[in-house]
Amino acid sequence: MDHVDGNALAGPLSELFAVDITAATGRCVNCGLTGPVAELRVYDRAPGLVARCPGCGHVLLRYVRTPDSAWIDLTGTVSLRVRLPDGDEEGRG
Amino acid sequence: MARLAETRRETGTARTLVFDVPGWPGHLAGQHVDVRLTAPDGYAAQRSYSLSAPDRVELTVQRIPDGEVSPYLTDVLGVGDPVEIRGPVGGWFVWRPGAGPDVLLIAGGSGIAPLMAMVRARRLAGSGTRFRLVYSTRTPGDVFYADELRRPEPGLDVTHVYTRAAPDGWPRPPGRLTVDDLGDGPPDRDCFVCGPTGFVESAADMLLARGHDPRRIKTERFG
């Protein structure tokens, strides 16, 4: 089955998080690989989104959006490291 | 809510749409938006499109024959029509103008869109960063932004790779991207690769084989 990558999570997850999660560094529960969420393998031809580790294929994140709620499962993720902008508003524009 | 302000035909099956979006916060080259279409019965379909310009909300849409969203955007949507757009989103696959290192861009098909935003952002900022763009399409008729890419631009080096049919007299026979198409540049460059999944993986493998630092290879696959 064909997949896209974690960049495709940016839009859906922007409804939940105040920062861009695709640039965050995630760590896989199964193999310990760390890398940007943008590099996960994302399967989006289902009712939800499933993001797998590019190293071992383990599921790091599942996300389902229904008309009145969002459900996110991060049991496959040990941690997310998010860079926060330092004071100055960076980029944008 | 966005309104279509103008359109340009890029190829027989692709159209560039320029939107007016009140309150748009601006964006970085490489970011994308989600476009949501809702039918009168409430059925909604959403697709992600890269922004192809740094200073306007501009999307280039390739019509997918059995697609739900793209045929509407390429053939039906008219100037003045409203569309629901969410964004900009994505903070990973972006290029920021400045005195950064040289950049290698590798595009497969409509994967050119976010890379074109980077080329245009470089021009808009008057950046001296050297860019090399390797752009793979099936035929010359599939090239987006053809006139703009044909115009010489200091510091920008464009190489076309044709996989099915090349112009008469073209030195390279048609065929898939190979490591030779990437040129001789040094491996210490920031690389951005965008295209279909298979294309992106094969191009990223070539970059790794040539000694590029995996941390400086950013990829975007669109399935």
Side-chain angles (χ1 to χ4, degrees):
Chain A
M1 190 168 119
D2 229 358
H3 61 274
V4 293
D5 57 37
N7 293 296
L9 298 171
L13 295 186
S14 70
E15 275 192 300
L16 290 187
F17 295 102
V19 294
D20 173 60
I21 289 296
T22 61
T25 302
R27 183 174 171 85
C28 173
V29 161
N30 188 50
C31 71
L33 185 74
T34 60
V37 171
E39 307 263 287
L40 296 177
R41 298 201 317 248
V42 171
Y43 297 83
D44 59 355
R45 305 285 192 274
L49 295 164
V50 175
R52 292 179 177 273
C53 175
C56 71
H58 193 76
V59 174
L60 268 81
L61 178 153
R62 291 183 288 167
Y63 178 76
V64 179
R65 180 74 163 89
T66 67
D68 64 355
S69 60
W71 177 87
I72 187 164
D73 173 353
L74 287 163
T75 48
T77 305
V78 178
S79 60
L80 279 176
R81 182 167 185 266
V82 182
R83 276 182 65 94
L84 298 175
D86 50 359
D88 283 344
E89 179 66 22
E90 195 184 359
R92 290 296 156 104
Chain B
M1 191 60 81
R3 275 187 198 280
L4 186 63
E6 61 176 269
T7 71
R8 291 192 297 274
R9 193 49 73 180
E10 295 294 348
T11 69
T13 55
R15 184 191 196 199
T16 290
L17 310 171
V18 185
F19 292 96
D20 285 331
V21 189
W24 184 254
H27 58 272
L28 297 167
Q31 287 193 295
H32 60 271
V33 297
D34 287 340
V35 176
R36 185 179 168 88
L37 300 179
T38 307
D41 67 359
Y43 174 76
Q46 184 170 302
R47 293 292 181 277
S48 190
Y49 291 101
S50 290
L51 291 150
S52 56
D55 50 346
R56 294 203 69 179
V57 178
E58 190 170 310
L59 313 177
T60 303
V61 179
Q62 169 89 52
R63 187 197 316 130
I64 312 293
D66 57 351
E68 279 188 317
V69 172
S70 64
Y72 177 77
L73 294 178
T74 54
D75 301 340
V76 180
L77 189 72
V79 168
D81 286 348
V83 173
E84 197 181 331
I85 283 183
R86 181 169 64 193
V89 294
W92 172 249
F93 193 82
V94 296
W95 179 76
R96 292 176 170 83
D102 289 5
V103 172
L104 175 59
L105 307 172
I106 305 177
S110 53
I112 185 68
L115 306 184
M116 195 64 190
M118 297 177 190
V119 167
R120 289 167 166 167
R122 173 188 179 276
R123 184 188 309 144
L124 190 69
S127 162
T129 298
R130 283 188 304 174
F131 270 35
R132 176 173 166 77
L133 168 64
V134 180
Y135 182 9
S136 170
T137 54
R138 286 181 183 166
T139 73
D142 295 309
V143 173
F144 293 3
Y145 325 117
D147 291 342
E148 189 176 338
L149 288 173
R150 209 174 285 126
R151 284 198 292 271
E153 190 168 334
L156 171 67
D157 173 20
V158 180
T159 299
H160 289 279
V161 171
Y162 302 107
T163 59
R164 297 272 176 86
D168 287 342
W170 194 255
R172 179 194 184 281
R176 288 189 176 197
L177 184 79
T178 70
V179 74
D180 292 336
D181 296 315
L182 302 183
D184 301 327
D188 61 332
R189 286 184 281 182
D190 286 339
C191 303
F192 294 89
V193 188
C194 185
T197 299
F199 175 88
V200 168
E201 302 206 332
S202 130
D205 286 346
M206 289 175 206
L207 292 172
L208 292 173
R210 292 194 45 162
H212 286 264
D213 179 349
R215 286 167 302 184
R216 293 176 65 178
I217 303 171
K218 293 190 175 178
T219 55
E220 184 155 80
R221 302 159 174 82
F222 50 74

PDB file of all heavy atoms in Angstrom, chain B residues 23-50:
ATOM      1  N   GLY B  23      -6.960  38.187   5.776  1.00  0.00           N
ATOM      2  CA  GLY B  23      -6.346  37.820   7.053  1.00  0.00           C
ATOM      3  C   GLY B  23      -5.265  36.765   6.953  1.00  0.00           C
ATOM      4  O   GLY B  23      -4.830  36.234   7.975  1.00  0.00           O
ATOM      5  N   TRP B  24      -4.813  36.454   5.742  1.00  0.00           N
ATOM      6  CA  TRP B  24      -3.765  35.436   5.585  1.00  0.00           C
ATOM      7  C   TRP B  24      -2.507  35.881   6.327  1.00  0.00           C
ATOM      8  O   TRP B  24      -2.040  37.004   6.137  1.00  0.00           O
ATOM      9  CB  TRP B  24      -3.459  35.241   4.095  1.00  0.00           C
ATOM     10  CG  TRP B  24      -2.467  34.160   3.819  1.00  0.00           C
ATOM     11  CD1 TRP B  24      -1.163  34.338   3.446  1.00  0.00           C
ATOM     12  CD2 TRP B  24      -2.686  32.752   3.876  1.00  0.00           C
ATOM     13  NE1 TRP B  24      -0.563  33.108   3.268  1.00  0.00           N
ATOM     14  CE2 TRP B  24      -1.465  32.126   3.532  1.00  0.00           C
ATOM     15  CE3 TRP B  24      -3.792  31.953   4.190  1.00  0.00           C
ATOM     16  CZ2 TRP B  24      -1.319  30.737   3.498  1.00  0.00           C
ATOM     17  CZ3 TRP B  24      -3.644  30.579   4.149  1.00  0.00           C
ATOM     18  CH2 TRP B  24      -2.422  29.984   3.801  1.00  0.00           C
ATOM     19  N   PRO B  25      -1.922  35.015   7.168  1.00  0.00           N
ATOM     20  CA  PRO B  25      -0.787  35.452   7.993  1.00  0.00           C
ATOM     21  C   PRO B  25       0.562  35.421   7.276  1.00  0.00           C
ATOM     22  O   PRO B  25       1.569  35.787   7.864  1.00  0.00           O
ATOM     23  CB  PRO B  25      -0.789  34.413   9.127  1.00  0.00           C
ATOM     24  CG  PRO B  25      -1.372  33.184   8.503  1.00  0.00           C
ATOM     25  CD  PRO B  25      -2.372  33.662   7.475  1.00  0.00           C
ATOM     26  N   GLY B  26       0.618  35.007   6.014  1.00  0.00           N
ATOM     27  CA  GLY B  26       1.889  34.814   5.328  1.00  0.00           C
ATOM     28  C   GLY B  26       2.363  33.392   5.540  1.00  0.00           C
ATOM     29  O   GLY B  26       1.809  32.661   6.370  1.00  0.00           O
ATOM     30  N   HIS B  27       3.373  32.991   4.766  1.00  0.00           N
ATOM     31  CA  HIS B  27       3.839  31.604   4.882  1.00  0.00           C
ATOM     32  C   HIS B  27       5.284  31.504   4.437  1.00  0.00           C
ATOM     33  O   HIS B  27       5.853  32.449   3.911  1.00  0.00           O
ATOM     34  CB  HIS B  27       2.939  30.681   4.056  1.00  0.00           C
ATOM     35  CG  HIS B  27       2.873  31.037   2.591  1.00  0.00           C
ATOM     36  ND1 HIS B  27       1.971  31.932   2.104  1.00  0.00           N
ATOM     37  CD2 HIS B  27       3.615  30.641   1.546  1.00  0.00           C
ATOM     38  CE1 HIS B  27       2.145  32.059   0.791  1.00  0.00           C
ATOM     39  NE2 HIS B  27       3.158  31.297   0.427  1.00  0.00           N
ATOM     40  N   LEU B  28       5.847  30.321   4.679  1.00  0.00           N
ATOM     41  CA  LEU B  28       7.212  30.030   4.268  1.00  0.00           C
ATOM     42  C   LEU B  28       7.178  29.164   3.006  1.00  0.00           C
ATOM     43  O   LEU B  28       6.242  28.387   2.820  1.00  0.00           O
ATOM     44  CB  LEU B  28       7.940  29.270   5.380  1.00  0.00           C
ATOM     45  CG  LEU B  28       8.109  30.016   6.701  1.00  0.00           C
ATOM     46  CD1 LEU B  28       8.539  29.053   7.802  1.00  0.00           C
ATOM     47  CD2 LEU B  28       9.130  31.138   6.543  1.00  0.00           C
ATOM     48  N   ALA B  29       8.233  29.287   2.191  1.00  0.00           N
ATOM     49  CA  ALA B  29       8.311  28.471   0.984  1.00  0.00           C
ATOM     50  C   ALA B  29       8.423  27.003   1.377  1.00  0.00           C
ATOM     51  O   ALA B  29       9.314  26.623   2.138  1.00  0.00           O
ATOM     52  CB  ALA B  29       9.509  28.889   0.139  1.00  0.00           C
ATOM     53  N   GLY B  30       7.516  26.188   0.877  1.00  0.00           N
ATOM     54  CA  GLY B  30       7.499  24.759   1.192  1.00  0.00           C
ATOM     55  C   GLY B  30       6.287  24.367   2.019  1.00  0.00           C
ATOM     56  O   GLY B  30       5.973  23.181   2.129  1.00  0.00           O
ATOM     57  N   GLN B  31       5.619  25.348   2.608  1.00  0.00           N
ATOM     58  CA  GLN B  31       4.430  25.013   3.401  1.00  0.00           C
ATOM     59  C   GLN B  31       3.249  24.658   2.496  1.00  0.00           C
ATOM     60  O   GLN B  31       3.276  24.946   1.293  1.00  0.00           O
ATOM     61  CB  GLN B  31       4.045  26.182   4.312  1.00  0.00           C
ATOM     62  CG  GLN B  31       5.006  26.344   5.493  1.00  0.00           C
ATOM     63  CD  GLN B  31       4.461  27.293   6.548  1.00  0.00           C
ATOM     64  OE1 GLN B  31       4.295  28.479   6.289  1.00  0.00           O
ATOM     65  NE2 GLN B  31       4.186  26.771   7.735  1.00  0.00           N
ATOM     66  N   HIS B  32       2.251  24.039   3.058  1.00  0.00           N
ATOM     67  CA  HIS B  32       1.091  23.676   2.265  1.00  0.00           C
ATOM     68  C   HIS B  32      -0.210  24.102   2.937  1.00  0.00           C
ATOM     69  O   HIS B  32      -0.192  24.646   4.046  1.00  0.00           O
ATOM     70  CB  HIS B  32       1.096  22.183   1.935  1.00  0.00           C
ATOM     71  CG  HIS B  32       1.072  21.271   3.126  1.00  0.00           C
ATOM     72  ND1 HIS B  32       2.197  20.831   3.762  1.00  0.00           N
ATOM     73  CD2 HIS B  32       0.045  20.702   3.775  1.00  0.00           C
ATOM     74  CE1 HIS B  32       1.866  20.026   4.756  1.00  0.00           C
ATOM     75  NE2 HIS B  32       0.562  19.931   4.789  1.00  0.00           N
ATOM     76  N   VAL B  33      -1.301  23.882   2.243  1.00  0.00           N
ATOM     77  CA  VAL B  33      -2.624  24.177   2.799  1.00  0.00           C
ATOM     78  C   VAL B  33      -3.511  22.952   2.596  1.00  0.00           C
ATOM     79  O   VAL B  33      -3.236  22.123   1.739  1.00  0.00           O
ATOM     80  CB  VAL B  33      -3.309  25.390   2.112  1.00  0.00           C
ATOM     81  CG1 VAL B  33      -2.523  26.655   2.339  1.00  0.00           C
ATOM     82  CG2 VAL B  33      -3.535  25.141   0.623  1.00  0.00           C
ATOM     83  N   ASP B  34      -4.543  22.852   3.392  1.00  0.00           N
ATOM     84  CA  ASP B  34      -5.582  21.860   3.152  1.00  0.00           C
ATOM     85  C   ASP B  34      -6.768  22.561   2.520  1.00  0.00           C
ATOM     86  O   ASP B  34      -7.224  23.591   3.024  1.00  0.00           O
ATOM     87  CB  ASP B  34      -5.998  21.184   4.460  1.00  0.00           C
ATOM     88  CG  ASP B  34      -4.924  20.225   4.965  1.00  0.00           C
ATOM     89  OD1 ASP B  34      -4.071  19.816   4.147  1.00  0.00           O
ATOM     90  OD2 ASP B  34      -4.923  19.891   6.157  1.00  0.00           O
ATOM     91  N   VAL B  35      -7.232  22.010   1.408  1.00  0.00           N
ATOM     92  CA  VAL B  35      -8.403  22.552   0.722  1.00  0.00           C
ATOM     93  C   VAL B  35      -9.559  21.624   1.007  1.00  0.00           C
ATOM     94  O   VAL B  35      -9.446  20.409   0.835  1.00  0.00           O
ATOM     95  CB  VAL B  35      -8.168  22.626  -0.808  1.00  0.00           C
ATOM     96  CG1 VAL B  35      -9.425  23.107  -1.515  1.00  0.00           C
ATOM     97  CG2 VAL B  35      -6.987  23.529  -1.123  1.00  0.00           C
ATOM     98  N   ARG B  36     -10.681  22.215   1.467  1.00  0.00           N
ATOM     99  CA  ARG B  36     -11.836  21.393   1.834  1.00  0.00           C
ATOM    100  C   ARG B  36     -13.033  21.810   0.982  1.00  0.00           C
ATOM    101  O   ARG B  36     -13.378  22.990   0.913  1.00  0.00           O
ATOM    102  CB  ARG B  36     -12.137  21.617   3.314  1.00  0.00           C
ATOM    103  CG  ARG B  36     -13.216  20.755   3.894  1.00  0.00           C
ATOM    104  CD  ARG B  36     -13.346  21.116   5.376  1.00  0.00           C
ATOM    105  NE  ARG B  36     -14.531  20.559   5.958  1.00  0.00           N
ATOM    106  CZ  ARG B  36     -14.601  19.336   6.508  1.00  0.00           C
ATOM    107  NH1 ARG B  36     -13.521  18.584   6.549  1.00  0.00           N
ATOM    108  NH2 ARG B  36     -15.715  18.890   7.012  1.00  0.00           N
ATOM    109  N   LEU B  37     -13.611  20.824   0.327  1.00  0.00           N
ATOM    110  CA  LEU B  37     -14.808  21.070  -0.475  1.00  0.00           C
ATOM    111  C   LEU B  37     -15.972  20.369   0.195  1.00  0.00           C
ATOM    112  O   LEU B  37     -15.854  19.215   0.605  1.00  0.00           O
ATOM    113  CB  LEU B  37     -14.640  20.514  -1.885  1.00  0.00           C
ATOM    114  CG  LEU B  37     -13.483  21.071  -2.713  1.00  0.00           C
ATOM    115  CD1 LEU B  37     -13.448  20.383  -4.080  1.00  0.00           C
ATOM    116  CD2 LEU B  37     -13.605  22.576  -2.888  1.00  0.00           C
ATOM    117  N   THR B  38     -17.091  21.054   0.317  1.00  0.00           N
ATOM    118  CA  THR B  38     -18.273  20.466   0.949  1.00  0.00           C
ATOM    119  C   THR B  38     -19.435  20.510  -0.040  1.00  0.00           C
ATOM    120  O   THR B  38     -19.745  21.569  -0.587  1.00  0.00           O
ATOM    121  CB  THR B  38     -18.646  21.240   2.227  1.00  0.00           C
ATOM    122  OG1 THR B  38     -17.481  21.317   3.052  1.00  0.00           O
ATOM    123  CG2 THR B  38     -19.749  20.532   2.984  1.00  0.00           C
ATOM    124  N   ALA B  39     -20.028  19.364  -0.277  1.00  0.00           N
ATOM    125  CA  ALA B  39     -21.172  19.274  -1.186  1.00  0.00           C
ATOM    126  C   ALA B  39     -22.431  19.757  -0.473  1.00  0.00           C
ATOM    127  O   ALA B  39     -22.466  19.812   0.759  1.00  0.00           O
ATOM    128  CB  ALA B  39     -21.345  17.833  -1.652  1.00  0.00           C
ATOM    129  N   PRO B  40     -23.472  20.115  -1.241  1.00  0.00           N
ATOM    130  CA  PRO B  40     -24.718  20.589  -0.612  1.00  0.00           C
ATOM    131  C   PRO B  40     -25.286  19.586   0.393  1.00  0.00           C
ATOM    132  O   PRO B  40     -25.931  19.978   1.365  1.00  0.00           O
ATOM    133  CB  PRO B  40     -25.665  20.759  -1.804  1.00  0.00           C
ATOM    134  CG  PRO B  40     -24.773  20.997  -2.969  1.00  0.00           C
ATOM    135  CD  PRO B  40     -23.526  20.211  -2.712  1.00  0.00           C
ATOM    136  N   ASP B  41     -25.015  18.290   0.208  1.00  0.00           N
ATOM    137  CA  ASP B  41     -25.550  17.297   1.153  1.00  0.00           C
ATOM    138  C   ASP B  41     -24.655  17.108   2.372  1.00  0.00           C
ATOM    139  O   ASP B  41     -24.904  16.241   3.205  1.00  0.00           O
ATOM    140  CB  ASP B  41     -25.770  15.953   0.456  1.00  0.00           C
ATOM    141  CG  ASP B  41     -24.467  15.295   0.028  1.00  0.00           C
ATOM    142  OD1 ASP B  41     -23.394  15.893   0.255  1.00  0.00           O
ATOM    143  OD2 ASP B  41     -24.518  14.186  -0.534  1.00  0.00           O
ATOM    144  N   GLY B  42     -23.594  17.897   2.465  1.00  0.00           N
ATOM    145  CA  GLY B  42     -22.749  17.826   3.646  1.00  0.00           C
ATOM    146  C   GLY B  42     -21.514  16.958   3.475  1.00  0.00           C
ATOM    147  O   GLY B  42     -20.603  16.992   4.291  1.00  0.00           O
ATOM    148  N   TYR B  43     -21.449  16.190   2.399  1.00  0.00           N
ATOM    149  CA  TYR B  43     -20.267  15.353   2.165  1.00  0.00           C
ATOM    150  C   TYR B  43     -19.053  16.257   1.915  1.00  0.00           C
ATOM    151  O   TYR B  43     -19.133  17.203   1.131  1.00  0.00           O
ATOM    152  CB  TYR B  43     -20.505  14.444   0.964  1.00  0.00           C
ATOM    153  CG  TYR B  43     -19.283  13.650   0.566  1.00  0.00           C
ATOM    154  CD1 TYR B  43     -18.887  12.537   1.305  1.00  0.00           C
ATOM    155  CD2 TYR B  43     -18.500  14.039  -0.516  1.00  0.00           C
ATOM    156  CE1 TYR B  43     -17.748  11.828   0.958  1.00  0.00           C
ATOM    157  CE2 TYR B  43     -17.365  13.340  -0.870  1.00  0.00           C
ATOM    158  CZ  TYR B  43     -16.996  12.237  -0.126  1.00  0.00           C
ATOM    159  OH  TYR B  43     -15.865  11.541  -0.462  1.00  0.00           O
ATOM    160  N   ALA B  44     -17.971  15.962   2.604  1.00  0.00           N
ATOM    161  CA  ALA B  44     -16.792  16.820   2.464  1.00  0.00           C
ATOM    162  C   ALA B  44     -15.583  15.997   2.050  1.00  0.00           C
ATOM    163  O   ALA B  44     -15.431  14.839   2.450  1.00  0.00           O
ATOM    164  CB  ALA B  44     -16.513  17.537   3.776  1.00  0.00           C
ATOM    165  N   ALA B  45     -14.741  16.594   1.219  1.00  0.00           N
ATOM    166  CA  ALA B  45     -13.481  15.955   0.834  1.00  0.00           C
ATOM    167  C   ALA B  45     -12.372  16.982   1.036  1.00  0.00           C
ATOM    168  O   ALA B  45     -12.555  18.171   0.767  1.00  0.00           O
ATOM    169  CB  ALA B  45     -13.525  15.515  -0.618  1.00  0.00           C
ATOM    170  N   GLN B  46     -11.239  16.501   1.542  1.00  0.00           N
ATOM    171  CA  GLN B  46     -10.137  17.417   1.849  1.00  0.00           C
ATOM    172  C   GLN B  46      -8.858  16.920   1.189  1.00  0.00           C
ATOM    173  O   GLN B  46      -8.581  15.726   1.197  1.00  0.00           O
ATOM    174  CB  GLN B  46      -9.957  17.464   3.358  1.00  0.00           C
ATOM    175  CG  GLN B  46      -8.900  18.453   3.812  1.00  0.00           C
ATOM    176  CD  GLN B  46      -8.953  18.632   5.312  1.00  0.00           C
ATOM    177  OE1 GLN B  46      -9.972  19.012   5.874  1.00  0.00           O
ATOM    178  NE2 GLN B  46      -7.848  18.341   5.976  1.00  0.00           N
ATOM    179  N   ARG B  47      -8.103  17.818   0.605  1.00  0.00           N
ATOM    180  CA  ARG B  47      -6.813  17.467   0.014  1.00  0.00           C
ATOM    181  C   ARG B  47      -5.779  18.526   0.400  1.00  0.00           C
ATOM    182  O   ARG B  47      -6.111  19.673   0.638  1.00  0.00           O
ATOM    183  CB  ARG B  47      -6.898  17.419  -1.513  1.00  0.00           C
ATOM    184  CG  ARG B  47      -7.765  16.317  -2.061  1.00  0.00           C
ATOM    185  CD  ARG B  47      -7.190  14.927  -1.823  1.00  0.00           C
ATOM    186  NE  ARG B  47      -8.061  13.907  -2.388  1.00  0.00           N
ATOM    187  CZ  ARG B  47      -9.130  13.409  -1.782  1.00  0.00           C
ATOM    188  NH1 ARG B  47      -9.465  13.840  -0.576  1.00  0.00           N
ATOM    189  NH2 ARG B  47      -9.869  12.481  -2.365  1.00  0.00           N
ATOM    190  N   SER B  48      -4.537  18.069   0.390  1.00  0.00           N
ATOM    191  CA  SER B  48      -3.429  18.930   0.754  1.00  0.00           C
ATOM    192  C   SER B  48      -2.712  19.395  -0.515  1.00  0.00           C
ATOM    193  O   SER B  48      -2.436  18.566  -1.383  1.00  0.00           O
ATOM    194  CB  SER B  48      -2.493  18.083   1.621  1.00  0.00           C
ATOM    195  OG  SER B  48      -1.535  18.874   2.203  1.00  0.00           O
ATOM    196  N   TYR B  49      -2.452  20.692  -0.625  1.00  0.00           N
ATOM    197  CA  TYR B  49      -1.711  21.212  -1.776  1.00  0.00           C
ATOM    198  C   TYR B  49      -0.604  22.140  -1.293  1.00  0.00           C
ATOM    199  O   TYR B  49      -0.822  22.976  -0.410  1.00  0.00           O
ATOM    200  CB  TYR B  49      -2.632  22.004  -2.720  1.00  0.00           C
ATOM    201  CG  TYR B  49      -3.637  21.129  -3.435  1.00  0.00           C
ATOM    202  CD1 TYR B  49      -4.950  21.060  -3.014  1.00  0.00           C
ATOM    203  CD2 TYR B  49      -3.250  20.351  -4.527  1.00  0.00           C
ATOM    204  CE1 TYR B  49      -5.869  20.245  -3.661  1.00  0.00           C
ATOM    205  CE2 TYR B  49      -4.163  19.529  -5.179  1.00  0.00           C
ATOM    206  CZ  TYR B  49      -5.465  19.483  -4.740  1.00  0.00           C
ATOM    207  OH  TYR B  49      -6.363  18.670  -5.373  1.00  0.00           O
ATOM    208  N   SER B  50       0.557  22.001  -1.908  1.00  0.00           N
ATOM    209  CA  SER B  50       1.668  22.882  -1.575  1.00  0.00           C
ATOM    210  C   SER B  50       1.421  24.275  -2.142  1.00  0.00           C
ATOM    211  O   SER B  50       0.860  24.423  -3.225  1.00  0.00           O
ATOM    212  CB  SER B  50       2.961  22.335  -2.172  1.00  0.00           C
ATOM    213  OG  SER B  50       3.339  21.170  -1.492  1.00  0.00           O
TER     214      SER B  50
END
